[in-house]
Amino acid sequence: MRRTVFNEDHEAFRETVRAFIEAEVVPVYDEWFAAGQAPRDFYYKLGELGIFGINVPEEFGGAGLDTHKFEAVLYEETARAGVNFGGSGVHVLLALPYIKMLANDEQKKRYLTKFVTGEEMWALAMTEPGTGSDVAGMKTTAKLSEDGTHYVLNGAKTFITGGVHADRVIVCARTSAPREDDRRFGISLFAVDTKSEGYSIGRKLDKLGLRTSDTAELAFVDVKVPVEDLLGEENKGFYYLGQNLPSERWGIAFGAYAQAKAAIRFAQEYVQDRTVFGKTVASFQNTKFELAACQAEVDAAEAVADRALEALDAGELTAAEAASAKLFCTEVAHRVIDRCLQLHGGYGYMNEYPIARLYADNRVNRIYGGTSEVMKSIIAKSMGL
């Protein structure tokens, strides 16, 4: 089926990204994997390539576009090569929408010029050790000082992707107690400078997958956050978080579809080269049937991911539609990648093969950004159940 979601500009971008990955990432990716993170200077290269500025207004050094289609190309190309760009996805997909939506003119000038170049890398700190999907249950607090010049931040966050290299982190904290009739009230968002006194990075977490993406625990002990770094209005943080969840969940859905598509490519290449009982693995009927079934599932996931992308770009992607796309695409990817690994036999279990890393990387897609169970709850609610 012919796709209509991309045009010539997107395909030219694809060629540039593919060449960049081959030259700058593939040769050193094993080193990143062993180190457990991409090197900090890699993000400057992404800045030079223009990756960070696509959706940033021209006045701040960006391209001034308003589309997620270039991000979609990135998902496909990194998956195709069996690599990822460390914490840079959080920088663009999660942090940038909050800056664009909430920052005032002074803040945008201060934040975005460094955002575009990679001089300041951003992360989002929402999850806490005891809360997980229950954002309203967070315990981190930010109390306004008596002279009104700054907030005093105390608490801890965990599972913060990009947390090791981040120069600024959007921290969600309680500025007021929850109301009896609205426990979501009282959360605010702050653009916290990671060089602040009292800010510390705990463990760099040892994850099953996404080994080159730095994920950390963060702690705040009497961190002074200037009032100029409050994003949006006090106590409306939960509402702001809800505004950006559909785009985050689209990103996970599209990334999962791209991984499933890549898994078929890896499996096809392997079974055509691998010989068993004097014939290629690809020549067995079971292999053909398995890959054909996987291709049918990926075709469906591509259609769902593309439809969600078009809706997102049009500003029409609802919470339920995003949840549906995430649920479907991540479940498809889980099945497809597992079957493609099986076709590799014992080699599929070895980290030197892309399929093994992909298998581990993919597993978190059904957890972060809201678990599959949370997605089902959102969909069911939209059905009036």
Side-chain angles (χ1 to χ4, degrees):
M1 289 177 283
R2 189 176 67 86
R3 297 175 82 184
T4 57
V5 72
F6 299 123
N7 63 27
E8 291 177 3
D9 290 341
H10 304 122
E11 296 307 331
F13 178 70
R14 185 188 302 280
E15 290 180 20
T16 300
V17 169
R18 190 172 294 185
F20 174 81
I21 290 172
E22 287 300 318
E24 300 287 346
V25 182
V26 172
V28 294
Y29 196 70
D30 286 345
E31 296 171 24
W32 296 7
F33 190 82
Q37 61 187 33
R40 178 63 181 85
D41 62 1
F42 173 67
Y43 299 132
Y44 291 111
K45 293 180 181 179
L46 292 181
E48 290 172 14
L49 195 64
I51 297 293
F52 297 151
I54 292 169
N55 290 335
V56 172
E58 291 181 37
E59 63 195 284
F60 306 115
L65 302 179
D66 188 18
T67 175
H68 288 79
K69 291 185 178 180
F70 293 95
E71 286 171 55
V73 171
L74 273 177
Y75 283 125
E76 292 186 336
E77 290 305 308
T78 50
R80 178 184 181 276
V83 302
N84 74 55
F85 284 176
S88 65
V90 168
H91 184 67
V92 174
L93 184 69
L94 299 192
L96 182 58
Y98 289 105
I99 302 172
K100 290 176 68 177
M101 176 174 71
L102 301 176
N104 58 38
D105 291 343
E106 183 275 329
Q107 288 175 321
K108 285 178 181 175
K109 186 175 181 180
R110 192 154 46 92
Y111 300 150
L112 289 176
T113 49
K114 294 180 180 179
F115 181 100
V116 168
T117 61
E119 185 180 345
E120 275 193 355
M121 293 300 295
W122 287 62
L124 176 65
M126 192 185 325
T127 305
E128 297 186 0
T131 59
S133 296
D134 181 20
V135 178
M138 70 175 59
K139 299 290 191 287
T140 297
T141 60
K143 295 182 179 178
L144 189 62
S145 62
E146 288 185 11
D147 63 5
T149 61
H150 63 272
Y151 292 85
V152 180
L153 182 67
N154 283 285
K157 300 289 182 179
T158 193
F159 306 148
I160 309 308
T161 303
V164 174
H165 284 320
D167 301 288
R168 276 199 184 267
V169 178
I170 298 174
V171 177
C172 311
R174 279 214 163 273
T175 43
S176 298
R179 291 172 175 163
E180 280 190 23
D181 62 337
D182 184 8
R183 62 191 295 268
R184 299 172 177 180
F185 173 83
I187 294 169
S188 301
L189 306 185
F190 300 90
V192 179
D193 186 339
T194 63
K195 295 185 293 296
S196 302
E197 187 177 345
Y199 180 105
S200 64
I201 300 168
R203 292 183 303 148
K204 181 168 79 68
L205 299 172
D206 184 17
K207 307 188 299 294
L208 169 67
L210 298 177
R211 304 287 296 188
T212 63
S213 177
D214 55 302
T215 302
E217 295 174 330
L218 306 178
F220 321 111
V221 179
D222 294 335
V223 176
K224 292 182 179 179
V225 182
V227 291
E228 292 83 8
D229 286 326
L230 170 69
L231 285 172
E233 295 181 39
E234 258 195 17
N235 303 323
K236 289 191 175 180
F238 197 97
Y239 168 76
Y240 298 144
L241 294 171
Q243 293 291 100
N244 283 328
L245 279 173
S247 64
E248 178 183 350
R249 287 167 179 164
W250 163 80
I252 297 168
F254 205 97
Y257 139 71
Q259 289 176 322
K261 184 177 182 178
I264 293 176
R265 176 174 176 260
F266 298 144
Q268 255 190 286
E269 290 175 353
Y270 180 83
V271 298
Q272 286 168 341
D273 290 339
R274 176 78 167 146
T275 302
V276 180
F277 305 123
K279 50 202 282 196
T280 64
V281 174
S283 65
F284 290 92
Q285 186 182 59
N286 179 68
T287 304
K288 296 174 184 177
F289 281 7
E290 282 293 286
L291 285 175
C294 286
Q295 185 62 56
E297 287 216 74
V298 169
D299 283 345
E302 181 180 85
V304 169
D306 284 357
R307 186 181 72 172
L309 172 55
E310 294 283 25
L312 181 63
D313 267 14
E316 297 170 356
L317 185 66
T318 67
E321 288 167 345
S324 179
K326 181 183 185 294
L327 177 65
F328 183 77
C329 291
T330 58
E331 294 291 343
V332 164
H334 162 65
R335 293 191 295 269
V336 167
I337 294 169
D338 184 72
R339 291 161 86 173
C340 288
L341 186 150
Q342 187 73 14
L343 289 172
H344 283 70
Y347 289 105
Y349 203 65
M350 301 296 119
N351 270 328
E352 65 189 274
Y353 280 79
I355 194 70
R357 298 180 184 184
L358 194 59
Y359 183 88
D361 288 353
N362 174 261
R363 185 58 186 87
V364 75
N365 288 333
R366 292 182 290 150
I367 298 172
Y368 68 3
T371 63
S372 290
E373 292 72 27
V374 170
M375 297 305 100
K376 291 173 184 176
S377 296
I378 294 168
I379 298 163
K381 186 177 179 181
S382 76
M383 297 168 66
L385 298 173

